[in-house]
Amino acid sequence: SRVVPRSAVSFGPAAPLRCLRCRRRGAAPLPFLERPVEEVKRQPRRSSRRLPSAAGRRACSGWSSSATMREAWRRRLVLVVALAALLGPRPALAQRAFKISSSTCTIAADSSSCQISAAGDAALQVEFAAGAPTTLTLDMSSATTCSASAVDCPQVFMTKSDHNANVLKISKCSYFKQTAYSTHLLRYTFINVGDQFPYTIKDDNDEGRGVVPPGAVRECYCYCPNTCAVGTSNRLYCTHIAAR
């Protein structure tokens, strides 16, 4: 075979390179050398990845459809939750409500009985009318104050005072429906619906736990760690600063 010198090889379109391995004259030129080298370099490279088969394309199509369905369901779920939050019950419909007793317990002297509430009543109306220091003591363990069956225990006291020294005393405050709750905190609410005089809140320790001026509200929590049958084991903790 003969050797073709490099100077004899031309890459231009006018002088195509013949097949060097073919001894026969007149062999067709290499097809990729019929174009300039610059044009050959500009040709994009073909991807080495194989195209998916028909089954692969169907699988990809199914995955895309499933993803689209999941996204659609997710959007529907978000819409349902938003509508439920928008159209659901308002907070006002779920707040606590206390039925007010239809009659008022009038206190003309020191008393230990004032349960005039009917079944379903939880807010007791109390009016001090002695014009002198008067104490109303309510024993929450007594059936006459806090019955286990017919009458609800008062949880809210709407009181009108006529003297600065009037006292509303809650005895054995850890009892509810004649059962002691040393494992729970019981809450009592005291409201002064009067216009002039305050009254004082006390427990079995005979200490003032809070003063309720006209137009004010005091929240008290009863705590009894043990032996709740002993009155002094029951103590009220009120929002107003206690004396001791």
Side-chain angles (χ1 to χ4, degrees):
S1 61
R2 65 190 183 86
V3 179
V4 180
R6 290 187 178 181
S7 59
V9 179
S10 176
F11 292 94
L17 179 65
R18 304 275 177 178
C19 180
L20 300 181
R21 293 186 179 180
C22 299
R23 299 179 179 179
R24 183 172 54 88
R25 290 188 177 182
L30 296 178
F32 70 92
L33 291 178
E34 293 182 354
R35 295 167 293 177
V37 176
E38 292 78 5
E39 185 178 350
V40 174
K41 290 183 178 180
R42 286 197 299 267
Q43 295 300 317
R45 296 183 60 183
R46 293 184 178 180
S47 175
S48 60
R49 293 180 299 177
R50 297 178 60 186
L51 294 176
S53 62
R57 287 195 296 271
R58 285 195 298 269
C60 292
S61 176
W63 181 87
S64 178
S65 177
S66 300
T68 303
M69 291 180 63
R70 286 197 297 270
E71 180 65 18
W73 278 109
R74 188 188 68 81
R75 292 182 180 180
R76 291 178 185 177
L77 180 61
V78 171
L79 180 60
V80 169
V81 172
L83 289 176
L86 182 63
L87 303 177
R90 298 296 187 270
L93 301 178
Q95 69 177 359
R96 298 178 62 192
F98 303 92
K99 186 178 182 297
I100 302 173
S101 59
S102 57
S103 56
T104 302
C105 176
T106 302
I107 306 299
D110 291 345
S111 177
S112 60
S113 178
C114 187
Q115 181 55 276
I116 45 79
S117 296
D121 293 346
L124 184 64
Q125 295 189 79
V126 179
E127 182 176 353
F128 289 95
T134 308
T135 298
L136 171 62
T137 302
L138 295 178
D139 186 354
M140 304 308 290
S141 66
S142 172
T144 59
T145 303
C146 186
S147 174
S149 57
V151 180
D152 289 346
C153 300
Q155 298 171 270
V156 179
F157 300 91
M158 303 173 61
T159 307
K160 184 177 180 180
S161 179
D162 65 346
H163 196 278
N164 291 332
N166 287 333
V167 174
L168 180 55
K169 183 177 180 179
I170 305 298
S171 176
K172 297 180 181 177
C173 58
S174 64
Y175 278 77
F176 185 78
K177 291 186 178 295
Q178 296 180 274
T179 302
Y181 286 91
S182 60
T183 57
H184 292 70
L185 292 176
L186 302 185
R187 185 175 71 175
Y188 297 91
T189 303
F190 301 89
I191 305 173
N192 192 334
V193 296
D195 298 324
Q196 185 176 0
F197 299 99
Y199 68 93
T200 303
I201 305 167
K202 289 187 178 182
D203 55 24
D204 286 295
N205 295 279
D206 206 27
E207 298 288 349
R209 301 305 182 187
V211 176
V212 190
V217 178
R218 292 286 182 265
E219 293 282 350
C220 297
Y221 293 87
C222 177
Y223 172 59
C224 175
N226 47 47
T227 60
C228 298
V230 179
T232 53
S233 297
N234 300 263
R235 177 169 177 172
L236 288 172
Y237 294 83
C238 303
T239 53
H240 187 77
I241 298 176
R244 292 180 177 81

